[in-house]
Amino acid sequence: MADLKKMKGVSERDQKMIADAETLLGPEPGSMGVVKNYFWGNLRDDLLFPYPDIAKSSPQETAECDQLLARLEEYLKNEHPAVKIDQEQYMPEWVIQRLFDLGVLGMTISKESGGLSMGITSYNRVLDLIGSYCGSTAVVVSAHQSIGCKAVMLFGTDEQKKRWLPKLAREWLSAFCLSEPNVGCDAGGQETRCELSADGSHYILNGEKKWATSGAISGLFTVMCKQKMGDGKEKVTALVCTPDMDGIDIFQKNRSKCGIRGTWQARIRFNNVRVPRENLLHKEGRGLNVALSCLNFGRCTLSAGMLGGARRAKEESIKWAQTRYQFGRPLADFDLVKQKVAHMTALCYAMDSMLYMTTGMLDRGDEDIMLETAACKVFCSEMGWRCVNDAVQIMGGEGYMTENEVERIFRDSRINIIVEGANEVMQSFIFAYGGKQLAEKMLGVKESLEAGKLSPAVVRAGMPLFSEVILGIRRRAPEPPQVSDELRPHAERMCRLISELTYQFKKASKIHDVKIIERQVVQARIADAALYLHAWACTLSRLDHDLRQGAEGTEHEANKAGALHFFEIAEIEINNRFRGLYENADGSMRVAAEAALRHSDTLPNAEFIIPEKSPNAQGTGREPTQEGIKQFPGTPNRYVAGGTGREAMEPAG
């Protein structure tokens, strides 16, 4: 297989970026998942159809989850202080304890360890419900189970699970310590470091972590850090720390935020912390495997919370449109309002379809799901944000008022486009990882032809590529999946667009050649087309399932109409992305950006807030003011019962 790093003309910086990404992602799975197959022009209908049905595969768990949802909704509707949590930027201890008592904070932990032993789909149903009432609470629950303690569940030894999981199921929150002042989406760039002591009994940990959700009130941290291995290379290792360890300083408990204001993101310093060797998770140097595995689950629960909020905003704004009159008519009579109502309905059904398709894949243990979870995160965060934006617009000035709660969903939703991998990074990831194996095959054929190696294998591989890229002859569309007759035309359109996707990927690769590695706007267009195709396939499978189950009633009719509308939206969006590969303003965009950057160089750094660890401007910017921002207590966690700091939590002032 050809090596993309060795393509002629690839800069040293890009070679390093590709090498780091390959190290980060690890070896390719033995079989390609759904999204990668779109890039090849294939449809893995065996992984998409029929739609995952947890009620059939696990009826007992479904019944238990239904009961949990009923108890939880009773609490959320009648007791949960969502408005107060947002306004006071504080989640009371009794709320956290109630979530533990309900079983919500331990629902994916085994019953043997005090949890509920529920699967990923059931867990996301709970996050979906919580998200419809309180975005802050959804984030706290997700950060604890999806990434905080998930590492112990997935990679812990029997002894580690026995030691920690009972506490995590019923008493301790947990925090995931990955991000740093200089590390956001670049998970492999850890500056926190550990080294094994001379006697091999413990690790010595030094560094700083940022954005650790619930870090100030957690009883356990999963910490990612660099470690020098025997071959001299540095790799990421995962260690478990508890807040009672000497040298741990939670020096910032929280910062005031635009949304999810009831969550606390801590900053933690590790100063020569002695971490027992038995606190190593997985293996030395395999920490990125731990981190990325956890993020696969976190990207789903983020999507579930977003879906819950978007659905609530949709329902609130539709009711508003029917009861708010202007010019002697309800808003719902106006075509532009109907456009938004239809848009929200289509997006919510598509988001729901993609989310529970993805959780179904995780529950059944599909091998290659990294792109599917990334696609779920990008699609649900972006479409959820658009949906909430539509809702605010329909409600007008009242939608902007705090007491109507839609503005809180609006604020809470915005962070989802940034966290768990910024959507722009995820677009490039979907493009690069989705098309990597195909690109390497194309490169191999090109190199063989340039070297004059016309073996039968090269000819067999090269002829289809020549027909597509040079002659413009599209690959035959994959066979449509077996769906109900009324949906077959939509399945056939989808398959034709899958064939077009692989053609456009190959064509763009030829046109831009080595430059495509840095042309992120090109990458994003192709990634977006793949995203809409995947959403189409998930929605088609879900609607087919609904029809086969004999769904009826006004809700089903609304869902069906929304799904059919989504197919129209998706086709337009996909074709727009393909058109944008040839008709675009990329050239003038780069000129305008460079001009703006040159002008920015003339403005004094002292007038702006500069990244605190900037490699080229550290210490030259203005200090952001903390005046008027509510500060939080600094009680050392290790002096509090349970070692979590929760009992001491009371907002100051």
mmCIF file of all heavy atoms in Angstrom, residues 43-73:
data_model
loop_
_atom_site.group_PDB
_atom_site.id
_atom_site.type_symbol
_atom_site.label_atom_id
_atom_site.label_comp_id
_atom_site.label_asym_id
_atom_site.label_seq_id
_atom_site.Cartn_x
_atom_site.Cartn_y
_atom_site.Cartn_z
ATOM 1 N N LEU A 43 -22.454 0.578 -0.299
ATOM 2 C CA LEU A 43 -23.441 0.705 0.771
ATOM 3 C C LEU A 43 -23.415 -0.566 1.618
ATOM 4 O O LEU A 43 -23.705 -1.645 1.100
ATOM 5 C CB LEU A 43 -24.847 0.917 0.200
ATOM 6 C CG LEU A 43 -25.983 0.980 1.236
ATOM 7 C CD1 LEU A 43 -25.864 2.243 2.089
ATOM 8 C CD2 LEU A 43 -27.353 0.930 0.549
ATOM 9 N N ARG A 44 -23.030 -0.438 2.883
ATOM 10 C CA ARG A 44 -23.057 -1.592 3.789
ATOM 11 C C ARG A 44 -24.460 -1.725 4.366
ATOM 12 O O ARG A 44 -24.709 -1.446 5.530
ATOM 13 C CB ARG A 44 -22.025 -1.400 4.900
ATOM 14 C CG ARG A 44 -20.579 -1.614 4.521
ATOM 15 C CD ARG A 44 -20.246 -3.067 4.194
ATOM 16 N NE ARG A 44 -20.563 -4.016 5.233
ATOM 17 C CZ ARG A 44 -19.739 -4.359 6.228
ATOM 18 N NH1 ARG A 44 -18.528 -3.808 6.308
ATOM 19 N NH2 ARG A 44 -20.096 -5.243 7.124
ATOM 20 N N ASP A 45 -25.388 -2.171 3.531
ATOM 21 C CA ASP A 45 -26.766 -2.260 4.008
ATOM 22 C C ASP A 45 -26.922 -3.309 5.106
ATOM 23 O O ASP A 45 -27.868 -3.257 5.892
ATOM 24 C CB ASP A 45 -27.749 -2.512 2.859
ATOM 25 C CG ASP A 45 -27.390 -3.732 2.033
ATOM 26 O OD1 ASP A 45 -26.308 -4.300 2.228
ATOM 27 O OD2 ASP A 45 -28.222 -4.116 1.178
ATOM 28 N N ASP A 46 -25.967 -4.259 5.188
ATOM 29 C CA ASP A 46 -26.035 -5.257 6.259
ATOM 30 C C ASP A 46 -25.820 -4.628 7.629
ATOM 31 O O ASP A 46 -26.264 -5.182 8.647
ATOM 32 C CB ASP A 46 -24.994 -6.355 6.023
ATOM 33 C CG ASP A 46 -23.573 -5.805 5.943
ATOM 34 O OD1 ASP A 46 -23.367 -4.786 5.253
ATOM 35 O OD2 ASP A 46 -22.671 -6.400 6.550
ATOM 36 N N LEU A 47 -25.153 -3.461 7.679
ATOM 37 C CA LEU A 47 -24.940 -2.767 8.947
ATOM 38 C C LEU A 47 -26.004 -1.712 9.222
ATOM 39 O O LEU A 47 -26.091 -1.198 10.342
ATOM 40 C CB LEU A 47 -23.558 -2.100 8.950
ATOM 41 C CG LEU A 47 -22.346 -3.032 8.837
ATOM 42 C CD1 LEU A 47 -21.050 -2.210 8.826
ATOM 43 C CD2 LEU A 47 -22.322 -4.061 9.956
ATOM 44 N N LEU A 48 -26.794 -1.374 8.204
ATOM 45 C CA LEU A 48 -27.785 -0.303 8.333
ATOM 46 C C LEU A 48 -29.222 -0.792 8.384
ATOM 47 O O LEU A 48 -30.095 -0.115 8.944
ATOM 48 C CB LEU A 48 -27.632 0.672 7.159
ATOM 49 C CG LEU A 48 -26.360 1.518 7.124
ATOM 50 C CD1 LEU A 48 -26.123 2.079 5.726
ATOM 51 C CD2 LEU A 48 -26.463 2.661 8.138
ATOM 52 N N PHE A 49 -29.476 -1.934 7.771
ATOM 53 C CA PHE A 49 -30.845 -2.460 7.674
ATOM 54 C C PHE A 49 -30.873 -3.894 8.206
ATOM 55 O O PHE A 49 -29.972 -4.678 7.893
ATOM 56 C CB PHE A 49 -31.325 -2.441 6.214
ATOM 57 C CG PHE A 49 -31.395 -1.074 5.604
ATOM 58 C CD1 PHE A 49 -30.270 -0.486 5.045
ATOM 59 C CD2 PHE A 49 -32.588 -0.372 5.592
ATOM 60 C CE1 PHE A 49 -30.323 0.777 4.486
ATOM 61 C CE2 PHE A 49 -32.650 0.894 5.030
ATOM 62 C CZ PHE A 49 -31.518 1.476 4.471
ATOM 63 N N PRO A 50 -31.884 -4.259 8.993
ATOM 64 C CA PRO A 50 -32.951 -3.401 9.516
ATOM 65 C C PRO A 50 -32.425 -2.475 10.613
ATOM 66 O O PRO A 50 -31.330 -2.690 11.139
ATOM 67 C CB PRO A 50 -33.961 -4.397 10.078
ATOM 68 C CG PRO A 50 -33.132 -5.573 10.489
ATOM 69 C CD PRO A 50 -32.026 -5.654 9.466
ATOM 70 N N TYR A 51 -33.206 -1.490 10.936
ATOM 71 C CA TYR A 51 -32.835 -0.521 11.959
ATOM 72 C C TYR A 51 -32.699 -1.223 13.308
ATOM 73 O O TYR A 51 -33.521 -2.087 13.649
ATOM 74 C CB TYR A 51 -33.898 0.571 12.042
ATOM 75 C CG TYR A 51 -33.475 1.794 12.808
ATOM 76 C CD1 TYR A 51 -32.671 2.755 12.211
ATOM 77 C CD2 TYR A 51 -33.879 1.995 14.126
ATOM 78 C CE1 TYR A 51 -32.276 3.898 12.902
ATOM 79 C CE2 TYR A 51 -33.491 3.128 14.829
ATOM 80 C CZ TYR A 51 -32.683 4.070 14.207
ATOM 81 O OH TYR A 51 -32.289 5.190 14.892
ATOM 82 N N PRO A 52 -31.661 -0.888 14.093
ATOM 83 C CA PRO A 52 -31.494 -1.528 15.407
ATOM 84 C C PRO A 52 -32.738 -1.336 16.275
ATOM 85 O O PRO A 52 -33.265 -0.233 16.379
ATOM 86 C CB PRO A 52 -30.285 -0.800 16.008
ATOM 87 C CG PRO A 52 -29.557 -0.238 14.840
ATOM 88 C CD PRO A 52 -30.588 0.089 13.813
ATOM 89 N N ASP A 53 -33.194 -2.405 16.878
ATOM 90 C CA ASP A 53 -34.421 -2.373 17.686
ATOM 91 C C ASP A 53 -34.122 -2.985 19.041
ATOM 92 O O ASP A 53 -34.159 -4.199 19.214
ATOM 93 C CB ASP A 53 -35.535 -3.144 16.979
ATOM 94 C CG ASP A 53 -36.893 -2.939 17.634
ATOM 95 O OD1 ASP A 53 -36.929 -2.489 18.794
ATOM 96 O OD2 ASP A 53 -37.916 -3.232 16.987
ATOM 97 N N ILE A 54 -33.813 -2.135 20.023
ATOM 98 C CA ILE A 54 -33.437 -2.647 21.337
ATOM 99 C C ILE A 54 -34.614 -3.328 22.028
ATOM 100 O O ILE A 54 -34.433 -4.243 22.833
ATOM 101 C CB ILE A 54 -32.870 -1.523 22.233
ATOM 102 C CG1 ILE A 54 -32.256 -2.125 23.495
ATOM 103 C CG2 ILE A 54 -33.917 -0.489 22.560
ATOM 104 C CD1 ILE A 54 -31.550 -1.147 24.381
ATOM 105 N N ALA A 55 -35.837 -2.898 21.690
ATOM 106 C CA ALA A 55 -37.009 -3.515 22.312
ATOM 107 C C ALA A 55 -37.096 -5.000 21.964
ATOM 108 O O ALA A 55 -37.570 -5.813 22.759
ATOM 109 C CB ALA A 55 -38.280 -2.795 21.868
ATOM 110 N N LYS A 56 -36.636 -5.361 20.763
ATOM 111 C CA LYS A 56 -36.648 -6.770 20.361
ATOM 112 C C LYS A 56 -35.410 -7.508 20.860
ATOM 113 O O LYS A 56 -35.494 -8.656 21.299
ATOM 114 C CB LYS A 56 -36.729 -6.877 18.831
ATOM 115 C CG LYS A 56 -38.112 -6.607 18.268
ATOM 116 C CD LYS A 56 -38.151 -6.923 16.777
ATOM 117 C CE LYS A 56 -39.572 -6.751 16.231
ATOM 118 N NZ LYS A 56 -39.626 -7.045 14.778
ATOM 119 N N SER A 57 -34.250 -6.852 20.782
ATOM 120 C CA SER A 57 -33.008 -7.529 21.151
ATOM 121 C C SER A 57 -32.849 -7.658 22.657
ATOM 122 O O SER A 57 -32.194 -8.584 23.138
ATOM 123 C CB SER A 57 -31.807 -6.770 20.575
ATOM 124 O OG SER A 57 -31.754 -5.442 21.092
ATOM 125 N N SER A 58 -33.440 -6.743 23.415
ATOM 126 C CA SER A 58 -33.310 -6.795 24.872
ATOM 127 C C SER A 58 -34.586 -6.271 25.533
ATOM 128 O O SER A 58 -34.608 -5.178 26.096
ATOM 129 C CB SER A 58 -32.101 -5.959 25.315
ATOM 130 O OG SER A 58 -31.903 -6.062 26.692
ATOM 131 N N PRO A 59 -35.674 -7.047 25.477
ATOM 132 C CA PRO A 59 -36.955 -6.564 26.015
ATOM 133 C C PRO A 59 -36.913 -6.266 27.504
ATOM 134 O O PRO A 59 -37.549 -5.318 27.970
ATOM 135 C CB PRO A 59 -37.928 -7.705 25.691
ATOM 136 C CG PRO A 59 -37.071 -8.900 25.416
ATOM 137 C CD PRO A 59 -35.800 -8.372 24.858
ATOM 138 N N GLN A 60 -36.157 -7.060 28.282
ATOM 139 C CA GLN A 60 -36.089 -6.812 29.723
ATOM 140 C C GLN A 60 -35.418 -5.476 30.016
ATOM 141 O O GLN A 60 -35.902 -4.690 30.836
ATOM 142 C CB GLN A 60 -35.334 -7.936 30.432
ATOM 143 C CG GLN A 60 -35.248 -7.729 31.942
ATOM 144 C CD GLN A 60 -34.540 -8.871 32.655
ATOM 145 O OE1 GLN A 60 -34.324 -9.936 32.084
ATOM 146 N NE2 GLN A 60 -34.171 -8.651 33.906
ATOM 147 N N GLU A 61 -34.294 -5.205 29.322
ATOM 148 C CA GLU A 61 -33.608 -3.937 29.529
ATOM 149 C C GLU A 61 -34.487 -2.771 29.097
ATOM 150 O O GLU A 61 -34.529 -1.730 29.761
ATOM 151 C CB GLU A 61 -32.290 -3.901 28.757
ATOM 152 C CG GLU A 61 -31.548 -2.581 28.939
ATOM 153 C CD GLU A 61 -30.238 -2.508 28.184
ATOM 154 O OE1 GLU A 61 -29.517 -3.521 28.136
ATOM 155 O OE2 GLU A 61 -29.931 -1.430 27.638
ATOM 156 N N THR A 62 -35.201 -2.937 27.983
ATOM 157 C CA THR A 62 -36.088 -1.869 27.510
ATOM 158 C C THR A 62 -37.148 -1.552 28.548
ATOM 159 O O THR A 62 -37.446 -0.377 28.825
ATOM 160 C CB THR A 62 -36.744 -2.272 26.180
ATOM 161 O OG1 THR A 62 -35.726 -2.506 25.211
ATOM 162 C CG2 THR A 62 -37.660 -1.171 25.673
ATOM 163 N N ALA A 63 -37.724 -2.593 29.152
ATOM 164 C CA ALA A 63 -38.755 -2.387 30.178
ATOM 165 C C ALA A 63 -38.167 -1.675 31.393
ATOM 166 O O ALA A 63 -38.781 -0.753 31.950
ATOM 167 C CB ALA A 63 -39.351 -3.731 30.582
ATOM 168 N N GLU A 64 -36.960 -2.076 31.805
ATOM 169 C CA GLU A 64 -36.315 -1.432 32.949
ATOM 170 C C GLU A 64 -35.979 0.023 32.638
ATOM 171 O O GLU A 64 -36.128 0.905 33.496
ATOM 172 C CB GLU A 64 -35.040 -2.195 33.332
ATOM 173 C CG GLU A 64 -35.316 -3.566 33.937
ATOM 174 C CD GLU A 64 -34.038 -4.354 34.200
ATOM 175 O OE1 GLU A 64 -32.945 -3.851 33.855
ATOM 176 O OE2 GLU A 64 -34.127 -5.462 34.744
ATOM 177 N N CYS A 65 -35.545 0.265 31.412
ATOM 178 C CA CYS A 65 -35.227 1.640 31.018
ATOM 179 C C CYS A 65 -36.493 2.490 30.964
ATOM 180 O O CYS A 65 -36.483 3.661 31.368
ATOM 181 C CB CYS A 65 -34.514 1.643 29.667
ATOM 182 S SG CYS A 65 -33.923 3.272 29.160
ATOM 183 N N ASP A 66 -37.578 1.925 30.467
ATOM 184 C CA ASP A 66 -38.859 2.654 30.430
ATOM 185 C C ASP A 66 -39.275 3.080 31.840
ATOM 186 O O ASP A 66 -39.746 4.208 32.054
ATOM 187 C CB ASP A 66 -39.956 1.780 29.812
ATOM 188 C CG ASP A 66 -39.791 1.602 28.310
ATOM 189 O OD1 ASP A 66 -39.039 2.385 27.698
ATOM 190 O OD2 ASP A 66 -40.419 0.678 27.755
ATOM 191 N N GLN A 67 -39.086 2.180 32.797
ATOM 192 C CA GLN A 67 -39.437 2.498 34.182
ATOM 193 C C GLN A 67 -38.532 3.596 34.736
ATOM 194 O O GLN A 67 -38.988 4.510 35.432
ATOM 195 C CB GLN A 67 -39.340 1.234 35.044
ATOM 196 C CG GLN A 67 -40.360 0.169 34.694
ATOM 197 C CD GLN A 67 -40.047 -1.176 35.331
ATOM 198 O OE1 GLN A 67 -39.181 -1.281 36.194
ATOM 199 N NE2 GLN A 67 -40.744 -2.223 34.903
ATOM 200 N N LEU A 68 -37.235 3.498 34.425
ATOM 201 C CA LEU A 68 -36.298 4.535 34.865
ATOM 202 C C LEU A 68 -36.668 5.883 34.255
ATOM 203 O O LEU A 68 -36.661 6.914 34.946
ATOM 204 C CB LEU A 68 -34.876 4.148 34.468
ATOM 205 C CG LEU A 68 -33.790 5.205 34.721
ATOM 206 C CD1 LEU A 68 -33.687 5.552 36.202
ATOM 207 C CD2 LEU A 68 -32.436 4.732 34.195
ATOM 208 N N LEU A 69 -37.009 5.890 32.965
ATOM 209 C CA LEU A 69 -37.379 7.141 32.300
ATOM 210 C C LEU A 69 -38.622 7.754 32.936
ATOM 211 O O LEU A 69 -38.711 8.983 33.069
ATOM 212 C CB LEU A 69 -37.615 6.880 30.812
ATOM 213 C CG LEU A 69 -36.353 6.624 29.975
ATOM 214 C CD1 LEU A 69 -36.732 6.067 28.609
ATOM 215 C CD2 LEU A 69 -35.537 7.898 29.814
ATOM 216 N N ALA A 70 -39.576 6.924 33.330
ATOM 217 C CA ALA A 70 -40.793 7.435 33.966
ATOM 218 C C ALA A 70 -40.461 8.099 35.306
ATOM 219 O O ALA A 70 -40.958 9.190 35.616
ATOM 220 C CB ALA A 70 -41.794 6.302 34.156
ATOM 221 N N ARG A 71 -39.615 7.428 36.114
ATOM 222 C CA ARG A 71 -39.220 8.008 37.406
ATOM 223 C C ARG A 71 -38.416 9.291 37.194
ATOM 224 O O ARG A 71 -38.604 10.285 37.906
ATOM 225 C CB ARG A 71 -38.394 7.002 38.212
ATOM 226 C CG ARG A 71 -39.140 5.752 38.635
ATOM 227 C CD ARG A 71 -38.346 4.971 39.688
ATOM 228 N NE ARG A 71 -37.041 4.545 39.212
ATOM 229 C CZ ARG A 71 -36.799 3.412 38.565
ATOM 230 N NH1 ARG A 71 -37.811 2.578 38.307
ATOM 231 N NH2 ARG A 71 -35.574 3.087 38.187
ATOM 232 N N LEU A 72 -37.526 9.249 36.228
ATOM 233 C CA LEU A 72 -36.671 10.404 35.965
ATOM 234 C C LEU A 72 -37.485 11.599 35.483
ATOM 235 O O LEU A 72 -37.269 12.736 35.929
ATOM 236 C CB LEU A 72 -35.614 10.025 34.930
ATOM 237 C CG LEU A 72 -34.662 11.129 34.475
ATOM 238 C CD1 LEU A 72 -33.846 11.664 35.647
ATOM 239 C CD2 LEU A 72 -33.741 10.617 33.370
ATOM 240 N N GLU A 73 -38.426 11.364 34.574
ATOM 241 C CA GLU A 73 -39.219 12.487 34.066
ATOM 242 C C GLU A 73 -40.089 13.083 35.163
ATOM 243 O O GLU A 73 -40.285 14.305 35.211
ATOM 244 C CB GLU A 73 -40.073 12.063 32.879
ATOM 245 C CG GLU A 73 -40.838 13.233 32.277
ATOM 246 C CD GLU A 73 -41.201 13.052 30.824
ATOM 247 O OE1 GLU A 73 -41.469 11.902 30.424
ATOM 248 O OE2 GLU A 73 -41.212 14.058 30.086
#
